[in-house]
Amino acid sequence: MSMHRPSGCPSCAEPLEEGDRFCGYCGSPVCAFPPPLPADDPTLALPALAPAAARAAGSPGRPPAPPWPTGGAPAWDAAGSGPQEAPAAQDAGAGSAATGWEGGGYHPAGPASAAPAPEPAAPAPSGPADPAAVQDLAYGGAETRHDRPYGGPGAPGASPWAPAADEAPYGSTPPGHEAAAKRTCVACRAGRVDTDGYCEHCGHAQPRERDHLEEELGSVAAVSDRGLRHHRNEDSFAVAATALADGSTATVAVVCDGVSSASRPDDASAAAAAAANEALLEALPRGTHPKEAMHRAILAAADAVTALAPEVPGAQNAPACTLVGAVVCGGLLTVGWVGDSRAYWVPDDRGVLPRRLTEDDSWAAQMVAAGLMGEAEAYADARAHAITGWLGADAYELEPHTATFRPDHAGVVVVCTDGLWNYAESAVEMARVLPADAAVRPLHSAQVLVGHALDGGGHDNVTVAVLPFAAPPADGPAADAAPRAEAEARPGA
């Protein structure tokens, strides 16, 4: 008998004799069985038919198949048109090599040579074959799969890329990937997002968590957006509220803008905002004056950014950012800043003029302060936004600016990066964009301001915090006279 000729009928497994062209029991035609395929070529087509002995014991010349657990798994139908339920594995005990999750798929936990030989094949049936079983044989059955490690069995009608019964269905959570499975692709709405931020199904890059952030605490709200032209959001903010010793509440907002020309600007802004916020929440409940607390907070933020600098000096630009913060407590409004992020005061009564509370640490501001250029001329210069003060290891000299105010009427404080005030630079323009109900809807107002910047072009990251300021009682504690007088004389309209 030819070495490639089946020993039994491919339909009913009836033993055949030399020269038989048809089965003497069921009458099925007998054809030569193709030679076994090499194990190292997964691109060749699978044989169309397999004898019952090969189905039970595996094809000759291949390593024994690993055990594939029982139970159905989604598989593609024969036409490749959609998923269907694959039948459970016929012999869960075949082989003994344990399987485990290694990287991207299931692999035997031990070497293939350690697996014992498969058990002998079951006796061939003596009666006519079930047509369904014949169809299973004709379309693969438990044939060796070339797309599986060590040649695993395939499901009937399965395509080379369909999951077998052992594999976790698409969209399930592999061991150790539970956190990633919680995120679903925003493009295809089906694939998981891997740890690199790309969909495992369609490859779409996912929005980063910091691309758009919103937070509201009732008395303060903030919104940060990546903008339309930057590939990441290098801004950061922190908002909080804490109880003071006298039972009143202090509201805090800190906004930071990473310097894009420095390394890791996003990390710098996040570290500065977190450090300043923590310092304020630690100092204010102990009774520290808000102005002193703000000064310490800026120094703490500077230390946090400096700690991010590379160990080898000059290896790369040190991380850097700007900072602006505001504290509302005890009828006082305290602001502190380094760089060109700003704070604005907008009264609830729009008949009262709004004011800008900060002065930029920038080339344009220096030219105007020195009387060398007018404001319009200075800010039209290409060097206008070059900052002269920032937080970072390579800052020339850290000079935190702080100021305390006592407004005699209600209003809101707008704390923002230049990604917003570039589209509403003067205090009057900012007041015009800010909704009239900002005091009662701070989050909505922050969203409107960010939307204004995006509608204007969104060329930079945009971050803004809105703090309502209630009208203080007439007999409330007074602010320090000197800081108040100096602060109120400096900001421009």
Side-chain angles (χ1 to χ4, degrees):
M1 181 180 290
S2 171
M3 63 177 298
H4 302 313
R5 182 177 179 82
S7 60
C9 174
S11 297
C12 65
E14 178 73 6
L16 299 174
E17 295 181 1
E18 183 71 17
D20 285 349
R21 299 179 59 187
F22 297 91
C23 176
Y25 187 87
C26 68
S28 298
V30 178
C31 62
F33 183 66
L37 299 173
D40 59 351
D41 189 355
T43 63
L44 298 178
L46 297 178
L49 298 176
R55 181 175 183 178
S59 301
R62 295 189 182 278
W68 306 95
T70 59
W76 292 98
D77 58 21
S81 59
Q84 64 178 5
E85 189 70 16
Q90 297 191 11
D91 187 4
S96 62
T99 58
W101 187 271
E102 299 177 3
Y106 281 95
H107 300 279
S113 59
E119 298 180 3
S126 57
D130 185 356
V134 175
Q135 183 178 5
D136 281 358
L137 277 173
Y139 288 93
E143 284 272 344
T144 300
R145 289 285 296 270
H146 297 278
D147 59 313
R148 309 224 166 269
Y150 300 98
S159 73
W161 296 274
D166 69 294
E167 288 186 326
Y170 182 79
S172 63
T173 307
H177 293 68
E178 289 78 3
K182 297 179 181 179
R183 297 183 59 193
T184 303
C185 175
V186 300
C188 67
R189 301 289 182 180
R192 293 194 306 265
V193 178
D194 61 20
T195 56
D196 293 331
Y198 291 86
C199 176
E200 295 177 349
H201 177 61
C202 68
H204 188 88
Q206 305 300 299
R208 296 178 177 86
E209 182 180 0
R210 286 178 61 175
D211 281 359
H212 186 88
L213 297 173
E214 297 184 359
E215 187 172 353
E216 182 178 31
L217 297 179
S219 57
V220 59
V223 177
S224 181
D225 192 272
R226 183 185 67 179
L228 304 180
R229 301 188 184 182
H230 275 229
H231 71 285
R232 65 180 175 185
N233 190 357
E234 298 170 357
D235 290 355
S236 189
F237 69 82
V239 293
T242 185
L244 303 181
D246 60 0
S248 61
T249 301
T251 305
V252 174
V254 178
V255 169
C256 297
D257 184 356
V259 178
S260 298
S261 59
S263 64
R264 301 169 60 190
D266 51 339
D267 292 339
S269 63
N277 182 65
E278 183 178 355
L280 288 169
L281 295 182
E282 181 181 356
L284 291 172
R286 296 205 307 259
T288 305
H289 191 279
K291 187 173 184 291
E292 178 63 24
M294 180 63 72
H295 182 85
R296 296 178 184 178
I298 296 176
L299 295 179
D303 291 341
V305 178
T306 301
L308 300 177
E311 297 181 358
V312 180
Q316 56 182 349
N317 292 337
C321 70
T322 67
L323 179 147
V324 62
V327 176
V328 172
C329 67
L332 301 178
L333 166 58
T334 301
V335 295
W337 73 96
V338 173
D340 62 349
S341 294
R342 294 180 175 181
Y344 292 84
W345 165 254
V346 181
D348 288 348
D349 181 3
R350 297 304 169 86
V352 179
L353 286 178
R355 305 182 66 178
R356 175 156 62 92
L357 305 178
T358 60
E359 292 181 352
D360 299 341
D361 288 323
S362 67
W363 181 90
Q366 284 189 344
M367 294 297 103
V368 174
L372 300 177
M373 301 176 69
E375 185 171 353
E377 181 185 4
Y379 280 98
D381 193 281
R383 298 165 290 179
H385 294 283
I387 59 175
T388 58
W390 62 87
L391 306 180
D394 58 355
Y396 298 132
E397 184 178 355
L398 179 61
E399 296 181 0
H401 308 290
T402 57
T404 302
F405 305 87
R406 175 180 290 282
D408 57 2
H409 46 278
V412 296
V413 185
V414 177
V415 183
C416 64
T417 62
D418 60 343
L420 171 61
W421 65 253
N422 277 328
Y423 300 98
E425 186 170 345
S426 69
V428 174
E429 291 175 317
M430 187 66 69
R432 186 179 301 117
V433 178
L434 186 71
D437 58 353
V440 294
R441 301 176 66 191
L443 178 59
H444 171 259
S445 301
Q447 293 169 339
V448 170
L449 293 175
V450 170
H452 174 75
L454 297 180
D455 291 343
H459 81 282
D460 199 356
N461 306 144
V462 188
T463 302
V464 58
V466 177
L467 292 84
F469 182 93
D475 57 348
D480 293 343
R484 179 181 59 180
E486 178 184 1
E488 291 184 352
R490 291 175 63 187

